[in-house]
Amino acid sequence: MKEFPQDVVTAPYGTWSSPLNAAEVAAGAAPIFDAAFRGDEIFYSTKIPTEKARTGLVRTSLSHPGDREQIIPSGFNIRSAVHEYGGASWALDQSSDVIYFVNAADQRVWQIIPGRAPHALTPDTSGRIRYGDLHMSPWGLLCVREDCRSTRRERAIVLLTKHGTTNVLSTHSHFMAWPRLSPDGSTLAFIGWEHPNMPWDGTTLWLVDVRTPATPAVAVLSGDGVERPRRSDPGMPSHTDPGISLLQPEFTSDSSLHVISDHQGHWSLYGLDIDPVAARARVTDPRHAPAPTAFDADRLRPVIDTGEEIGGALWQLGTRWHLNDGDEVWAHSQAATATLVRRRLTDDPCDTNPADTEPAGTTWETIDTTGETFGTIELLELGRTHLLLTAKSTRRPGVLYAVDRVTGLFTEIASERLDTHQLYYSRPQVGELGECPSSSTRRTIPASQPPLTNSRPSWSRSTADRQDRRPRRWRPARASSPPRASASSR
């Protein structure tokens, strides 16, 4: 192979030369991982090819995305090793200038104010105690802590204060993800699962009273071992799957939250109403704690059901498929291609209005994605005026966009790069197996206001008929390592 792709020559097997080498490919890639707003500023983490591919943190702004500043000094590498694959390794404190991050070398949580030297928040254990899934709350930094000092790894949801104090909030599950506190700080919600399950097999939504050190569990929605329906398909061995996969709980009030569930055979977004924990009597002795209330999937009410997958395989902690701020909920719906959908909450009269001719959860709109077909979308943060997401297509490896919540305009903030020989990579194509309908057959019901842009035609089939025509569910097999990333997926 010569220096340019168009100058292709034929050579005997094993004798052809290539400008590609492993070192260049590994060092040259610069993927974008996470992003967050702080006012007009945008922070995002990405690899720095010129510094041994360490992960750094870049600061830019919505008004001047071309101006970029590295925040984390050399010698620090942002990466968590919790669950080995890590994820959600940094977080912004919106009430101050502090940024928290996990350093790869020692797995400690560090804090830094831009322009100053970082200092450690947690003790040095030579990497034997790890932190991940960082999420900032008004009461401190929520984390999944993994203790590797013994043969059996012990995990817990902990709250780190700005002074370094560690408060253990829950040890109720072997694997944990998405720790969230209710607005009044009384209730912890998270997703847990047990070995040998993977998070797409069967998980449990835990609700824990954290007002006292006893931290009793007050309610659980367990999907472990619960059979869920599987769509009819002659290629499937049975009509049920053991286990319901619950993902990404997010509080919408002290007594309600959104959570993803696949109890209907595909992942969709649901709401769950709970009794406010603050109204319960405090339990100071865990031996006297009443048994937690057991919910079942019948308690879930649809919020957004596109007939495709709002959810997926949790390879890295912190992955999000939906975001909401009380006014709107945005979600990533995935089939052969990715779709960005939105539902306005403030204009909906009631989710369960008996006069509605359509089932709850169907009033949503698609957002036109710059006229480009995205293979994957990753939602990152919902700001006051814009939504941050990364998207990959067949033409580009990945772009960080800020999406205007009013106009739907996509503003490019930063772009990923595969490596210096990007032109040599083959261009992926979108295809479907069997007779699965394409996403163009999606039914889109206008919300209370017209969609920003919607090129997808309406489809007047009944809800039951739409269920039968939903794309085939993909469930990843258990594996010791995640699937390899392609040009259209990380």
Side-chain angles (χ1 to χ4, degrees):
M1 183 181 291
K2 296 187 177 180
E3 191 58 32
F4 298 98
Q6 63 267 26
D7 299 329
V8 177
V9 297
T10 302
Y13 176 77
T15 64
W16 53 272
S17 61
S18 171
L20 303 178
N21 62 69
E24 281 187 307
V25 172
I32 295 172
F33 300 117
D34 299 302
F37 284 112
R38 179 182 276 166
D40 181 62
E41 294 180 335
I42 296 174
F43 294 80
Y44 66 90
S45 54
T46 183
K47 285 192 174 182
I48 308 173
T50 57
E51 299 183 26
K52 299 182 179 180
R54 75 178 180 98
T55 299
L57 189 64
V58 177
R59 176 169 62 180
T60 183
S61 67
L62 189 60
S63 55
H64 298 89
D67 299 337
R68 296 167 187 170
E69 174 190 6
Q70 287 285 349
I71 299 300
I72 307 298
S74 60
F76 290 89
N77 182 11
I78 303 175
R79 188 189 182 280
S80 167
V82 171
H83 296 175
E84 301 306 325
Y85 301 142
S89 305
W90 60 277
L92 302 180
D93 184 355
Q94 297 293 346
S95 63
S96 69
D97 295 329
V98 174
I99 302 169
Y100 299 93
F101 68 94
V102 177
N103 186 38
D106 55 20
Q107 289 299 297
R108 303 169 75 183
V109 176
W110 293 69
Q111 54 185 0
I112 185 174
I113 295 176
R116 302 182 187 178
H119 67 274
L121 186 66
T122 57
D124 185 7
T125 62
S126 300
R128 291 177 296 174
I129 294 182
R130 308 165 172 179
Y131 298 85
D133 211 346
L134 275 58
H135 181 78
M136 200 65 208
S137 77
W139 298 273
L141 184 68
L142 288 167
C143 311
V144 175
R145 185 183 70 183
E146 185 176 64
D147 191 338
C148 306
R149 291 177 294 182
S150 65
T151 55
R152 174 179 171 82
R153 296 188 180 184
E154 298 179 354
R155 298 177 183 90
I157 304 293
V158 299
L159 181 73
L160 302 178
T161 69
K162 62 181 180 180
H163 303 296
T165 304
T166 300
N167 299 308
V168 177
L169 301 185
S170 179
T171 58
H172 285 92
S173 193
H174 186 59
F175 295 99
M176 301 172 161
W178 292 293
R180 299 292 188 266
L181 283 174
S182 60
D184 64 1
S186 66
T187 311
L188 170 71
F190 69 92
I191 297 296
W193 64 99
E194 306 297 328
H195 181 78
N197 278 352
M198 298 295 277
W200 51 81
D201 292 324
T203 61
T204 298
L205 169 64
W206 288 89
L207 297 172
V208 179
D209 183 351
V210 294
R211 294 176 299 167
T212 68
T215 61
V218 295
V220 293
L221 173 56
S222 178
D224 190 5
V226 179
E227 290 192 343
R228 63 168 181 79
R230 174 185 277 166
R231 68 178 55 83
S232 296
D233 190 308
M236 298 294 187
S238 70
H239 297 292
T240 61
D241 264 348
I244 295 174
S245 174
L246 302 163
L247 306 171
Q248 195 193 341
E250 303 284 355
F251 279 101
T252 56
S253 71
D254 296 331
S255 58
S256 62
L257 51 82
H258 286 168
V259 65
I260 295 170
S261 173
D262 69 350
H263 66 281
Q264 293 293 339
H266 65 285
W267 279 300
S268 293
L269 184 61
Y270 296 88
L272 175 65
D273 297 322
I274 62 174
D275 295 328
V277 170
R280 298 169 61 103
R282 293 176 183 260
V283 176
T284 57
D285 189 341
R287 296 173 298 178
H288 301 151
T293 302
F295 295 140
D296 57 38
D298 294 339
R299 288 282 297 264
L300 299 174
R301 49 181 172 79
V303 175
I304 298 180
D305 184 353
T306 64
E308 297 174 351
E309 305 286 359
I310 300 179
L314 179 66
W315 289 113
Q316 287 193 310
L317 295 170
T319 303
R320 297 179 179 182
W321 292 277
H322 66 97
L323 301 168
N324 86 86
D325 63 355
D327 296 325
E328 297 175 340
V329 55
W330 295 68
H332 158 216
S333 179
Q334 184 74 44
T337 58
T339 306
L340 181 63
V341 300
R342 175 180 67 178
R343 179 179 179 183
R344 291 187 172 94
L345 301 176
T346 53
D347 296 330
D348 286 344
C350 181
D351 285 341
T352 57
N353 188 348
D356 289 345
T357 58
E358 293 293 338
T362 57
T363 308
W364 47 271
E365 56 186 340
T366 60
I367 308 301
D368 182 48
T369 53
T370 70
E372 186 170 10
T373 300
F374 290 146
T376 61
I377 291 175
E378 294 189 28
L379 301 183
L380 300 175
E381 181 161 290
L382 186 61
R384 185 176 56 86
T385 61
H386 288 76
L387 166 75
L388 284 177
L389 60 84
T390 56
K392 298 176 175 65
S393 70
T394 58
R395 298 190 309 108
R396 307 183 67 180
V399 177
L400 174 61
Y401 289 107
V403 184
D404 191 299
R405 295 177 59 174
V406 175
T407 67
L409 178 66
F410 279 65
T411 300
E412 181 175 326
I413 304 300
S415 60
E416 296 182 350
R417 186 181 65 146
L418 288 178
D419 55 49
T420 56
H421 299 287
Q422 191 164 304
L423 292 177
Y424 284 88
Y425 285 84
S426 60
R427 178 169 294 181
Q429 297 180 352
V430 176
E432 295 183 358
L433 301 176
E435 298 180 356
C436 297
S438 68
S439 59
S440 63
T441 60
R442 171 199 301 279
R443 182 181 188 219
T444 303
I445 302 174
S448 54
Q449 299 182 20
L452 303 180
T453 53
N454 186 356
S455 60
R456 291 176 169 79
S458 296
W459 187 33
S460 58
R461 303 179 70 91
S462 68
T463 302
D465 203 14
R466 289 204 309 276
Q467 171 81 12
D468 294 338
R469 291 181 57 85
R470 285 167 179 159
R472 179 178 297 176
R473 172 69 181 277
W474 172 79
R475 275 181 174 270
R478 289 190 178 94
S480 58
S481 61
R484 296 179 180 178
S486 66
S488 62
S489 65
R490 187 179 355 142

